[in-house]
Structures are given as structure tokens and as C-alpha cells.
Amino acid sequence: MTPSGARWSGESEVPELVGLTVREARNVGHDAGLVVTAADVDGPPLGELTWPGIWVVTAQAPSPGTRLRRWENVVIEFEKLSGDGAGGVREPRRPLPDPGMFDVERDPTE
């Protein structure tokens, strides 16, 4: 029995991983008691496949809500986000206010 009084079933529910970065998906999977992995479990580790850059989960098997024994694999597919991950355009998204527009609020006697 767990401290809350519920029985530990030795099962975990698969969380929704699609849309998360691979790093986030691995953390969410681990927190759920599952191992997030690439399709080729005998190939390079997931960390090696997704470095450098930002990679996003595009598919997973089994689907969210499926019950698995703890520490079973959830296989993900992923793709690299376009760009180099740098900040991109660093200009303001909208023009800054005209510095003279606040002159109207000044007291003309000052």
C-alpha cells in the first residue's frame, strides 16, 4: 500500500508526449514511470540522436492513456525544429512609441 492508501498496481498510464521537446518528453515519461525511446532500441541513444538542436515529438506508440507495466518503453518519432535555435530576429515586433508623443502630457508652464 502507498502512503495515500491506494494499492500500487505496477502500471503506468502513458502521457501525451506529442508536441513536447524530446527532452521534455523524456522527463514526463520518467515521471510517469516509463522509458521514452526511439524506434531502434539497439541504435544510438535518444540523446545522441537529438543533439544538437531542438527536436519535437511528432508521434508516439502506444497512444496516451494506455496502461503499461512500469518502466516499459514508449516509442517516439521526432523532428528537428527549423532554424539553428538562435534567437532569430531581435527587432521589436511592433514599432516603439514615438518619443514626442508624450509631449502632450507635459505641463507647458514647466
Side-chain angles (χ1 to χ4, degrees):
M1 299 273 271
T2 63
S4 66
R7 278 192 183 270
W8 180 67
S9 66
E11 291 185 345
S12 295
E13 185 173 314
V14 176
E16 174 70 52
L17 302 176
V18 174
L20 299 177
T21 65
V22 170
R23 179 183 207 131
E24 292 168 335
R26 290 176 74 184
N27 290 337
V28 169
H30 184 269
D31 290 347
L34 299 166
V35 178
V36 175
T37 185
D40 183 6
V41 294
D42 293 327
L46 194 53
E48 186 177 329
L49 293 171
T50 58
W51 187 89
I54 299 174
W55 296 75
V56 176
V57 178
T58 57
Q60 72 180 77
S63 60
T66 303
R67 304 288 300 178
L68 296 176
R69 288 186 311 211
R70 289 185 59 82
W71 306 117
E72 281 199 62
N73 292 343
V74 177
V75 177
I76 60 169
E77 294 178 22
F78 44 89
E79 65 182 37
K80 189 174 186 177
L81 285 181
S82 60
D84 61 1
V89 176
R90 298 186 195 279
E91 296 177 11
R93 292 184 181 249
R94 55 189 155 100
L96 294 175
D98 177 19
M101 74 182 275
F102 297 110
D103 290 342
V104 183
E105 296 176 10
R106 290 188 188 156
D107 184 0
T109 59
E110 289 182 354

XYZ file of all heavy atoms in Angstrom:
833
model
N 0.840 -1.177 0.000
C 0.000 0.000 0.000
C 0.889 1.244 0.000
O 1.926 1.261 0.646
C -0.893 0.025 1.231
C -1.846 -1.141 1.348
S -3.368 -0.895 0.514
C -4.350 -0.138 1.756
N 0.443 2.240 -0.727
C 1.163 3.507 -0.761
C 0.699 4.369 0.389
O -0.313 4.083 1.018
C 0.900 4.228 -2.103
O -0.488 4.522 -2.185
C 1.361 3.410 -3.273
N 1.422 5.470 0.700
C 1.020 6.323 1.810
C -0.416 6.831 1.679
O -1.083 7.054 2.667
C 2.016 7.483 1.748
C 3.215 6.923 1.071
C 2.684 5.890 0.113
N -0.935 7.001 0.475
C -2.291 7.508 0.306
C -3.335 6.425 0.551
O -4.518 6.691 0.570
C -2.471 8.070 -1.105
O -2.362 7.025 -2.051
N -2.903 5.183 0.704
C -3.828 4.089 0.946
C -4.198 3.321 -0.308
O -4.827 2.285 -0.241
N -3.784 3.819 -1.470
C -4.096 3.130 -2.722
C -3.077 2.018 -2.954
O -1.930 2.115 -2.544
C -4.060 4.115 -3.885
N -3.513 0.974 -3.621
C -2.589 -0.112 -3.956
C -1.739 0.297 -5.148
O -2.228 0.891 -6.091
C -3.357 -1.373 -4.329
C -3.799 -2.146 -3.167
C -4.290 -3.504 -3.639
N -4.775 -4.220 -2.497
C -4.010 -5.003 -1.756
N -2.763 -5.197 -2.054
N -4.506 -5.611 -0.709
N -0.469 -0.061 -5.095
C 0.407 0.187 -6.225
C 0.206 -0.947 -7.201
O 0.400 -2.116 -6.888
C 1.855 0.264 -5.769
C 2.781 0.519 -6.910
C 2.861 1.645 -7.650
C 3.740 -0.379 -7.444
N 3.808 1.522 -8.614
C 4.370 0.271 -8.504
C 4.137 -1.664 -7.137
C 5.371 -0.304 -9.260
C 5.137 -2.235 -7.895
C 5.740 -1.551 -8.940
N -0.218 -0.616 -8.417
C -0.561 -1.653 -9.376
C 0.627 -2.099 -10.214
O 0.535 -3.079 -10.935
C -1.674 -1.149 -10.303
O -1.176 -0.076 -11.099
N 1.726 -1.356 -10.162
C 2.862 -1.700 -11.003
C 2.640 -1.296 -12.442
O 3.356 -1.724 -13.325
N 1.639 -0.457 -12.686
C 1.335 0.025 -14.023
C 1.460 1.536 -14.060
O 1.351 2.208 -13.044
C -0.086 -0.364 -14.439
C -0.283 -1.828 -14.675
C -1.677 -2.128 -15.203
O -2.565 -1.259 -15.113
O -1.882 -3.235 -15.690
N 1.679 2.041 -15.272
C 1.732 3.475 -15.505
C 0.846 3.807 -16.690
O 0.712 2.999 -17.614
C 3.159 3.925 -15.812
O 3.988 3.724 -14.703
N 0.282 4.982 -16.659
C -0.523 5.450 -17.785
C 0.371 6.279 -18.698
O 1.087 7.168 -18.244
C -1.690 6.295 -17.288
C -2.619 6.706 -18.406
C -3.854 7.394 -17.890
O -4.463 6.886 -16.931
O -4.209 8.442 -18.445
N 0.320 5.985 -20.003
C 1.149 6.696 -20.969
C 0.648 8.134 -21.094
O -0.527 8.359 -21.385
C 1.115 5.990 -22.349
C 1.903 6.789 -23.370
C 1.653 4.569 -22.236
N 1.528 9.115 -20.875
C 1.127 10.519 -21.017
C 1.157 10.964 -22.473
O 1.737 10.289 -23.335
C 2.178 11.264 -20.197
C 3.389 10.396 -20.265
C 2.882 8.975 -20.355
N 0.566 12.096 -22.755
C 0.626 12.716 -24.087
C 2.007 13.332 -24.247
O 2.419 14.182 -23.460
C -0.443 13.804 -24.207
C -0.373 14.607 -25.487
C -0.785 13.810 -26.707
O -1.867 13.205 -26.688
O -0.003 13.789 -27.684
N 2.740 12.896 -25.256
C 4.098 13.386 -25.486
C 4.219 14.198 -26.769
O 5.164 14.976 -26.912
C 5.079 12.213 -25.531
C 5.126 11.329 -24.283
C 6.068 10.154 -24.504
C 5.508 12.124 -23.057
N 3.294 14.022 -27.700
C 3.357 14.722 -28.983
C 3.280 16.227 -28.744
O 2.437 16.716 -27.996
C 2.235 14.255 -29.929
C 2.220 15.085 -31.205
C 2.403 12.780 -30.252
N 4.207 16.942 -29.369
C 4.262 18.388 -29.229
C 5.301 18.857 -28.222
O 5.689 20.016 -28.228
N 5.750 17.956 -27.362
C 6.794 18.302 -26.408
C 8.160 18.192 -27.071
O 8.324 17.469 -28.058
C 6.768 17.347 -25.206
C 5.497 17.304 -24.367
C 5.643 16.251 -23.270
C 5.187 18.660 -23.776
N 9.149 18.868 -26.523
C 10.505 18.620 -26.997
C 10.900 17.225 -26.515
O 10.305 16.688 -25.572
C 11.507 19.659 -26.437
O 11.592 19.509 -25.022
C 11.124 21.078 -26.821
N 11.880 16.642 -27.148
C 12.317 15.300 -26.757
C 12.778 15.312 -25.302
O 12.468 14.396 -24.538
C 13.411 14.779 -27.702
C 14.034 13.504 -27.168
C 12.838 14.549 -29.090
N 13.470 16.347 -24.911
C 13.934 16.445 -23.519
C 12.751 16.458 -22.549
O 12.743 15.752 -21.544
C 14.783 17.700 -23.348
C 15.277 17.874 -21.951
C 16.060 19.172 -21.796
N 17.001 18.989 -20.729
C 18.270 19.285 -20.791
N 18.783 19.797 -21.874
N 19.051 19.086 -19.758
N 11.726 17.286 -22.853
C 10.534 17.341 -22.002
C 9.829 15.984 -21.978
O 9.388 15.522 -20.919
C 9.557 18.401 -22.506
C 10.043 19.820 -22.358
C 9.197 20.823 -23.122
O 8.544 20.451 -24.118
O 9.199 21.994 -22.718
N 9.734 15.342 -23.146
C 9.057 14.045 -23.239
C 9.759 13.002 -22.375
O 9.108 12.208 -21.694
C 8.992 13.585 -24.688
N 11.077 13.008 -22.400
C 11.817 12.053 -21.568
C 11.541 12.292 -20.087
O 11.356 11.356 -19.318
C 13.314 12.159 -21.854
C 13.684 11.625 -23.236
C 15.130 11.819 -23.537
N 15.905 10.859 -22.747
C 17.225 10.826 -22.721
N 17.911 11.703 -23.416
N 17.862 9.926 -22.010
N 11.503 13.556 -19.685
C 11.229 13.882 -18.282
C 9.810 13.496 -17.888
O 9.591 12.915 -16.820
C 11.467 15.370 -18.018
C 12.933 15.749 -18.058
O 13.808 14.911 -17.868
N 13.202 17.005 -18.327
N 8.834 13.800 -18.741
C 7.435 13.456 -18.458
C 7.283 11.936 -18.389
O 6.606 11.402 -17.503
C 6.499 14.073 -19.518
C 5.092 13.511 -19.410
C 6.476 15.591 -19.381
N 7.905 11.239 -19.327
C 7.851 9.782 -19.319
C 8.467 9.200 -18.061
O 7.901 8.295 -17.438
N 9.607 9.718 -17.678
C 10.280 9.231 -16.467
C 9.408 9.472 -15.240
O 9.270 8.595 -14.379
C 11.638 9.904 -16.292
C 12.398 9.378 -15.118
N 12.297 9.934 -13.858
C 13.247 8.334 -15.010
C 13.053 9.259 -13.032
N 13.652 8.284 -13.701
N 8.809 10.665 -15.161
C 7.939 10.978 -14.025
C 6.736 10.036 -13.964
O 6.207 9.761 -12.896
C 7.464 12.425 -14.092
C 8.587 13.418 -13.817
O 9.671 13.004 -13.330
O 8.383 14.620 -14.098
N 6.318 9.525 -15.137
C 5.196 8.580 -15.186
C 5.655 7.141 -14.958
O 4.836 6.231 -14.914
C 4.488 8.689 -16.540
N 6.963 6.933 -14.855
C 7.476 5.581 -14.630
C 7.656 4.806 -15.919
O 7.571 3.579 -15.924
N 7.925 5.522 -17.016
C 8.100 4.881 -18.327
C 9.421 5.322 -18.941
O 9.997 6.325 -18.536
C 6.938 5.249 -19.250
C 5.566 4.798 -18.751
C 4.462 5.490 -19.528
C 5.429 3.290 -18.844
N 9.886 4.571 -19.932
C 11.119 4.900 -20.639
C 10.753 5.377 -22.035
O 10.123 4.649 -22.797
C 12.057 3.678 -20.735
C 13.309 4.026 -21.519
C 12.407 3.164 -19.346
N 11.128 6.613 -22.357
C 10.882 7.168 -23.691
C 12.100 6.860 -24.541
O 13.235 7.140 -24.162
C 10.626 8.687 -23.606
C 10.482 9.286 -24.987
C 9.380 8.956 -22.767
N 11.856 6.254 -25.718
C 12.954 5.789 -26.554
C 12.628 5.973 -28.028
O 11.476 6.165 -28.407
C 13.256 4.297 -26.249
O 14.391 3.900 -26.995
C 12.078 3.417 -26.579
N 13.663 5.900 -28.856
C 13.491 5.904 -30.312
C 13.092 4.499 -30.751
O 13.192 3.536 -29.980
C 14.793 6.328 -30.987
N 12.647 4.377 -31.997
C 12.160 3.089 -32.507
C 13.237 2.002 -32.452
O 12.949 0.861 -32.120
C 11.636 3.256 -33.919
N 14.478 2.364 -32.763
C 15.564 1.384 -32.752
C 16.215 1.371 -31.379
O 17.157 2.117 -31.115
C 16.584 1.732 -33.838
C 17.705 0.710 -33.928
O 17.637 -0.331 -33.232
O 18.656 0.940 -34.710
N 15.717 0.521 -30.499
C 16.237 0.494 -29.130
C 17.681 0.013 -29.063
O 18.365 0.250 -28.072
C 15.344 -0.358 -28.191
C 13.994 0.287 -28.018
C 15.210 -1.776 -28.688
N 18.159 -0.659 -30.124
C 19.549 -1.115 -30.160
C 20.459 -0.106 -30.837
O 21.670 -0.309 -30.904
C 19.650 -2.460 -30.889
C 18.956 -3.571 -30.116
O 18.978 -3.516 -28.873
O 18.382 -4.475 -30.753
N 19.888 0.983 -31.340
C 20.667 2.012 -32.024
C 21.238 3.018 -31.039
O 21.269 2.785 -29.829
N 21.686 4.161 -31.572
C 22.246 5.199 -30.699
C 21.212 5.669 -29.681
O 20.015 5.631 -29.942
C 22.598 6.335 -31.668
C 22.583 5.735 -33.025
C 21.680 4.548 -32.968
N 21.668 6.135 -28.523
C 20.731 6.627 -27.519
C 19.985 7.864 -28.010
O 20.470 8.603 -28.871
C 21.615 6.954 -26.321
C 23.008 6.902 -26.784
C 23.051 6.201 -28.100
N 18.828 8.076 -27.447
C 17.970 9.188 -27.844
C 18.691 10.528 -27.731
O 18.564 11.391 -28.597
C 16.711 9.178 -26.978
C 15.533 10.016 -27.410
C 15.128 9.723 -28.840
C 14.360 9.778 -26.481
N 19.465 10.706 -26.688
C 20.202 11.949 -26.508
C 21.181 12.218 -27.637
O 21.374 13.359 -28.050
N 21.784 11.167 -28.147
C 22.730 11.322 -29.260
C 22.001 11.631 -30.563
O 22.474 12.406 -31.383
C 23.562 10.046 -29.413
C 24.658 10.162 -30.452
C 25.505 8.905 -30.529
O 25.680 8.218 -29.513
O 25.988 8.611 -31.641
N 20.836 11.025 -30.752
C 20.061 11.260 -31.970
C 19.494 12.673 -32.051
O 19.196 13.159 -33.140
C 18.907 10.254 -32.058
C 19.292 8.801 -32.268
C 18.064 7.912 -32.121
C 19.921 8.617 -33.647
N 19.310 13.295 -30.903
C 18.642 14.597 -30.877
C 19.551 15.719 -30.403
O 19.093 16.698 -29.817
C 17.395 14.531 -29.975
O 17.799 14.133 -28.666
C 16.378 13.564 -30.528
N 20.846 15.585 -30.692
C 21.777 16.633 -30.317
C 22.618 16.988 -31.508
O 23.041 16.094 -32.239
C 22.679 16.168 -29.170
C 23.530 17.269 -28.639
C 23.207 18.140 -27.654
C 24.831 17.643 -29.078
N 24.217 19.022 -27.449
C 25.240 18.753 -28.320
C 25.696 17.181 -30.060
C 26.456 19.386 -28.486
C 26.911 17.803 -30.238
C 27.281 18.894 -29.442
N 22.890 18.204 -31.783
C 22.400 19.414 -31.140
C 21.058 19.828 -31.737
O 20.580 19.222 -32.692
C 23.486 20.438 -31.467
C 23.982 20.037 -32.817
C 23.888 18.515 -32.832
N 20.500 20.858 -31.207
C 19.259 21.422 -31.728
C 18.075 21.136 -30.834
O 18.196 20.546 -29.767
N 16.931 21.584 -31.295
C 15.677 21.368 -30.574
C 14.832 20.427 -31.413
O 14.536 20.703 -32.574
C 14.940 22.694 -30.336
C 15.815 23.626 -29.491
C 13.598 22.445 -29.654
C 15.247 25.013 -29.320
N 14.468 19.306 -30.824
C 13.708 18.266 -31.502
C 12.348 18.123 -30.832
O 12.248 18.159 -29.611
C 14.466 16.944 -31.426
C 15.780 17.000 -32.147
C 16.920 17.616 -31.735
C 16.081 16.432 -33.411
N 17.911 17.451 -32.667
C 17.422 16.727 -33.707
C 15.339 15.680 -34.323
C 18.038 16.315 -34.877
C 15.957 15.256 -35.484
C 17.285 15.577 -35.760
N 11.310 17.960 -31.644
C 9.945 17.895 -31.135
C 9.342 16.534 -31.460
O 9.533 15.996 -32.552
C 9.088 19.017 -31.758
C 7.648 18.917 -31.310
C 9.650 20.369 -31.387
N 8.600 15.978 -30.504
C 7.933 14.684 -30.688
C 6.765 14.862 -31.651
O 5.914 15.729 -31.461
C 7.435 14.128 -29.335
C 6.703 12.811 -29.523
C 8.598 13.971 -28.365
N 6.731 14.033 -32.706
C 5.673 14.108 -33.714
C 4.707 12.928 -33.648
O 3.602 13.000 -34.168
C 6.271 14.179 -35.130
O 7.107 13.034 -35.336
C 7.098 15.445 -35.317
N 5.112 11.829 -33.020
C 4.247 10.650 -32.891
C 4.747 9.816 -31.724
O 5.911 9.912 -31.328
C 4.261 9.832 -34.173
N 3.841 9.000 -31.183
C 4.219 8.116 -30.081
C 3.422 6.833 -30.159
O 2.331 6.794 -30.720
C 3.988 8.802 -28.736
C 2.518 8.953 -28.358
C 2.328 9.628 -27.021
O 2.465 10.840 -26.940
N 2.016 8.847 -25.990
N 4.015 5.762 -29.614
C 3.316 4.480 -29.516
C 3.759 3.827 -28.215
O 4.953 3.768 -27.941
C 3.663 3.590 -30.704
N 2.867 3.388 -27.416
C 1.419 3.399 -27.574
C 0.831 4.796 -27.331
O 1.522 5.704 -26.884
C 0.931 2.410 -26.515
C 1.990 2.392 -25.480
C 3.276 2.689 -26.185
N -0.449 4.931 -27.613
C -1.130 6.217 -27.512
C -1.348 6.611 -26.050
O -1.318 5.760 -25.150
C -2.454 6.152 -28.260
O -3.264 5.146 -27.705
N -1.572 7.905 -25.810
C -1.808 8.374 -24.439
C -2.994 7.651 -23.801
O -3.976 7.335 -24.467
C -2.126 9.868 -24.622
C -1.527 10.233 -25.936
C -1.604 8.996 -26.782
N -2.870 7.393 -22.522
C -3.931 6.726 -21.782
C -3.767 5.224 -21.681
O -4.403 4.568 -20.860
N -2.909 4.657 -22.527
C -2.645 3.216 -22.477
C -1.939 2.883 -21.160
O -1.097 3.637 -20.688
C -1.742 2.801 -23.663
O -2.365 3.186 -24.880
C -1.463 1.312 -23.662
N -2.283 1.756 -20.582
C -1.643 1.298 -19.341
C -0.508 0.336 -19.690
O -0.700 -0.597 -20.467
C -2.657 0.590 -18.439
C -3.889 1.380 -18.069
C -3.666 2.477 -17.114
N -3.139 2.003 -15.844
C -2.813 2.799 -14.844
N -2.956 4.088 -14.951
N -2.334 2.313 -13.732
N 0.665 0.599 -19.146
C 1.839 -0.253 -19.345
C 2.418 -0.626 -17.987
O 2.212 0.083 -16.998
C 2.920 0.488 -20.134
C 2.617 0.898 -21.565
C 3.796 1.699 -22.125
C 2.340 -0.307 -22.426
N 3.170 -1.721 -17.979
C 3.928 -2.039 -16.767
C 4.978 -0.949 -16.586
O 5.485 -0.384 -17.563
C 4.609 -3.394 -16.897
C 3.645 -4.556 -16.825
C 4.389 -5.844 -16.811
N 5.371 -5.828 -17.912
C 5.781 -6.882 -18.571
N 5.342 -8.063 -18.244
N 6.654 -6.782 -19.532
N 5.292 -0.670 -15.347
C 6.275 0.377 -15.076
C 7.596 0.066 -15.764
O 8.021 -1.058 -15.856
C 6.471 0.533 -13.572
C 5.236 1.168 -12.929
C 5.393 1.459 -11.468
N 6.484 2.362 -11.115
C 6.418 3.701 -11.176
N 5.343 4.285 -11.641
N 7.442 4.433 -10.796
N 8.207 1.111 -16.277
C 9.498 1.127 -16.953
C 9.490 0.430 -18.312
O 10.543 0.092 -18.836
C 10.625 0.639 -16.039
C 10.633 1.422 -14.770
C 10.421 0.944 -13.518
C 10.773 2.836 -14.632
N 10.439 1.969 -12.604
C 10.657 3.150 -13.263
C 10.976 3.888 -15.515
C 10.748 4.456 -12.759
C 11.065 5.189 -15.016
C 10.948 5.451 -13.666
N 8.292 0.229 -18.885
C 8.235 -0.224 -20.271
C 8.505 0.959 -21.196
O 8.448 2.116 -20.782
C 6.867 -0.843 -20.585
C 6.755 -2.270 -20.070
C 5.635 -3.021 -20.757
O 5.690 -3.196 -21.980
O 4.707 -3.422 -20.039
N 8.767 0.648 -22.475
C 9.122 1.679 -23.445
C 7.913 2.341 -24.079
O 6.937 1.677 -24.409
C 9.972 1.086 -24.571
C 11.339 0.667 -24.097
O 11.806 1.066 -23.044
N 11.997 -0.151 -24.889
N 8.044 3.650 -24.282
C 7.141 4.414 -25.134
C 8.016 4.896 -26.287
O 9.002 5.599 -26.082
C 6.530 5.619 -24.390
C 5.648 6.431 -25.332
C 5.743 5.152 -23.180
N 7.692 4.469 -27.497
C 8.498 4.796 -28.672
C 8.000 6.103 -29.266
O 6.794 6.283 -29.470
C 8.414 3.662 -29.720
C 9.184 4.028 -30.978
C 8.952 2.366 -29.121
N 8.932 7.019 -29.529
C 8.566 8.302 -30.118
C 9.232 8.485 -31.472
O 10.278 7.908 -31.755
C 8.939 9.483 -29.205
C 10.452 9.530 -28.934
C 8.141 9.437 -27.908
C 10.926 10.805 -28.252
N 8.580 9.284 -32.307
C 9.178 9.796 -33.537
C 9.351 11.288 -33.304
O 8.582 11.907 -32.556
C 8.266 9.538 -34.726
C 8.096 8.066 -35.039
C 7.136 7.831 -36.197
O 6.927 8.758 -37.014
O 6.586 6.727 -36.261
N 10.347 11.873 -33.934
C 10.654 13.273 -33.665
C 11.274 13.918 -34.883
O 11.767 13.236 -35.781
C 11.588 13.381 -32.457
C 12.705 12.371 -32.474
C 13.902 12.642 -33.095
C 12.534 11.123 -31.888
C 14.924 11.709 -33.122
C 13.540 10.181 -31.897
C 14.741 10.473 -32.519
N 11.214 15.259 -34.904
C 11.857 16.006 -35.980
C 12.470 17.269 -35.405
O 12.018 17.783 -34.382
C 10.884 16.324 -37.105
C 9.763 17.240 -36.724
C 8.792 17.470 -37.885
O 8.529 16.542 -38.659
O 8.307 18.605 -37.971
N 13.495 17.733 -36.093
C 14.211 18.924 -35.640
C 13.440 20.166 -36.041
O 12.925 20.246 -37.162
C 15.617 18.947 -36.251
C 16.503 20.030 -35.681
C 17.914 19.909 -36.210
C 18.804 20.916 -35.518
N 20.192 20.778 -35.964
N 13.359 21.123 -35.123
C 12.746 22.403 -35.450
C 13.634 23.122 -36.449
O 14.862 23.035 -36.364
C 12.593 23.271 -34.207
C 11.486 22.910 -33.241
C 11.460 23.900 -32.084
C 10.141 22.903 -33.916
N 13.033 23.821 -37.368
C 13.830 24.548 -38.347
C 14.552 25.695 -37.664
O 14.148 26.169 -36.614
C 12.939 25.078 -39.470
O 11.975 25.949 -38.936
N 15.611 26.140 -38.269
C 16.428 27.189 -37.670
C 17.530 26.571 -36.845
O 17.591 25.378 -36.626
N 18.399 27.442 -36.386
C 19.538 26.941 -35.622
C 19.328 27.049 -34.124
O 20.229 26.792 -33.343
C 20.811 27.680 -36.024
C 20.734 29.166 -35.756
O 19.696 29.629 -35.240
O 21.724 29.865 -36.042
N 18.117 27.440 -33.712
C 17.837 27.553 -32.296
C 18.277 28.878 -31.708
O 18.051 29.153 -30.547
N 18.915 29.724 -32.525
C 19.308 31.046 -32.041
C 18.051 31.897 -31.882
O 16.972 31.529 -32.325
C 20.282 31.694 -33.025
N 18.194 33.041 -31.308
C 17.059 33.902 -31.012
C 16.322 34.403 -32.235
O 15.212 34.884 -32.121
N 16.922 34.305 -33.422
C 16.243 34.778 -34.619
C 16.285 36.291 -34.688
O 17.197 36.937 -34.204
N 15.264 36.871 -35.285
C 15.194 38.316 -35.442
C 15.058 38.941 -34.063
O 14.197 38.575 -33.285
C 13.990 38.694 -36.340
C 13.859 40.201 -36.440
C 14.151 38.072 -37.701
N 15.894 39.905 -33.796
C 15.892 40.511 -32.469
C 15.292 41.918 -32.484
O 15.449 42.672 -31.549
C 17.306 40.546 -31.925
C 17.883 39.152 -31.771
C 19.231 39.180 -31.082
N 19.959 37.946 -31.229
C 19.757 36.865 -30.504
N 18.829 36.849 -29.599
N 20.478 35.785 -30.696
N 14.610 42.285 -33.556
C 13.974 43.593 -33.624
C 12.616 43.528 -32.941
O 12.017 42.465 -32.851
C 13.803 43.994 -35.089
C 15.130 44.171 -35.796
C 14.959 44.507 -37.255
O 13.822 44.811 -37.667
O 15.947 44.465 -37.975
N 12.118 44.690 -32.480
C 10.791 44.680 -31.845
C 9.721 44.200 -32.817
O 9.815 44.414 -34.019
C 10.553 46.141 -31.476
C 11.866 46.814 -31.588
C 12.712 45.998 -32.508
N 8.708 43.552 -32.309
C 7.631 43.051 -33.156
C 6.701 44.168 -33.576
O 5.957 44.036 -34.519
C 6.853 41.970 -32.434
C 7.687 40.733 -32.235
C 6.868 39.646 -31.601
N 7.693 38.490 -31.396
C 7.559 37.360 -32.053
N 6.623 37.227 -32.942
N 8.353 36.361 -31.818
N 6.671 45.240 -32.839
C 5.866 46.390 -33.240
C 6.731 47.624 -33.039
O 7.635 47.620 -32.208
C 4.582 46.462 -32.440
C 4.770 46.473 -30.965
C 3.412 46.323 -30.266
N 3.616 45.760 -28.966
C 3.641 46.474 -27.847
N 3.431 47.752 -27.865
N 3.863 45.882 -26.696
N 6.466 48.680 -33.755
C 7.330 49.861 -33.591
C 7.252 50.410 -32.170
O 6.214 50.366 -31.521
C 6.759 50.862 -34.584
C 5.857 50.094 -35.479
C 5.466 48.854 -34.757
N 8.378 50.967 -31.711
C 8.399 51.625 -30.412
C 7.606 52.924 -30.517
O 7.498 53.517 -31.594
C 9.836 51.909 -29.997
C 10.698 50.682 -29.718
C 12.129 51.102 -29.430
C 10.142 49.881 -28.554
N 7.038 53.407 -29.417
C 6.286 54.660 -29.469
C 7.194 55.820 -29.866
O 8.381 55.841 -29.557
C 5.768 54.848 -28.052
C 6.207 53.675 -27.265
C 7.045 52.810 -28.104
N 6.602 56.778 -30.539
C 7.317 57.996 -30.922
C 7.658 58.750 -29.647
O 6.768 59.028 -28.837
C 6.434 58.844 -31.839
C 7.084 60.156 -32.225
O 8.320 60.272 -32.095
O 6.346 61.062 -32.657
N 8.937 59.065 -29.410
C 9.306 59.758 -28.169
C 8.564 61.075 -27.979
O 8.317 61.492 -26.863
C 10.811 59.996 -28.302
C 11.274 59.039 -29.336
C 10.107 58.776 -30.228
N 8.155 61.735 -29.042
C 7.463 63.020 -28.933
C 5.993 62.906 -28.593
O 5.352 63.902 -28.260
N 5.442 61.711 -28.633
C 4.008 61.567 -28.395
C 3.621 61.869 -26.949
O 2.484 62.172 -26.655
C 3.503 60.186 -28.800
C 3.883 59.063 -27.877
S 3.315 57.469 -28.445
C 1.667 57.444 -27.796
N 4.573 61.831 -26.046
C 4.262 62.104 -24.645
C 4.389 63.590 -24.313
O 4.127 64.001 -23.198
C 5.149 61.266 -23.728
C 4.925 59.789 -23.908
C 5.874 58.978 -24.500
C 3.726 59.215 -23.507
C 5.651 57.626 -24.676
C 3.492 57.863 -23.683
C 4.452 57.070 -24.276
N 4.794 64.408 -25.276
C 4.894 65.843 -25.047
C 3.536 66.440 -24.700
O 3.439 67.442 -23.997
C 5.466 66.560 -26.273
C 6.949 66.234 -26.459
O 7.569 65.753 -25.480
O 7.460 66.460 -27.563
N 2.471 65.857 -25.175
C 1.128 66.351 -24.931
C 0.822 66.312 -23.427
O 0.089 67.144 -22.913
C 0.100 65.501 -25.700
C -1.298 66.021 -25.526
C 0.479 65.405 -27.150
N 1.390 65.377 -22.709
C 1.100 65.197 -21.294
C 1.910 66.155 -20.416
O 1.619 66.277 -19.233
C 1.398 63.767 -20.885
C 0.505 62.760 -21.597
C 0.866 61.344 -21.262
O 1.676 61.124 -20.345
O 0.339 60.446 -21.917
N 2.891 66.811 -20.972
C 3.706 67.733 -20.167
C 2.936 69.030 -19.869
O 2.174 69.500 -20.703
C 4.997 68.079 -20.889
C 5.955 66.948 -20.986
C 7.269 67.445 -21.540
N 8.114 66.298 -21.790
C 9.095 66.302 -22.667
N 9.336 67.364 -23.394
N 9.824 65.220 -22.836
N 3.222 69.586 -18.718
C 2.637 70.855 -18.349
C 3.425 71.957 -19.069
O 4.633 72.086 -18.896
C 2.707 71.025 -16.837
C 2.038 72.282 -16.337
O 1.493 73.062 -17.158
O 2.027 72.489 -15.109
N 2.772 72.765 -19.900
C 3.508 73.775 -20.683
C 4.154 74.847 -19.802
O 5.052 75.555 -20.253
C 2.441 74.365 -21.586
C 1.131 73.959 -21.041
C 1.368 72.754 -20.189
N 3.765 74.987 -18.552
C 4.368 76.011 -17.688
C 5.699 75.567 -17.098
O 6.386 76.344 -16.482
C 3.401 76.374 -16.540
O 3.107 75.211 -15.778
C 2.137 76.997 -17.094
N 6.032 74.298 -17.255
C 7.284 73.790 -16.701
C 8.429 73.993 -17.634
O 8.431 73.933 -18.782
C 7.146 72.299 -16.346
C 6.274 72.070 -15.181
C 6.196 70.577 -14.824
O 6.748 69.741 -15.565
O 5.571 70.253 -13.823
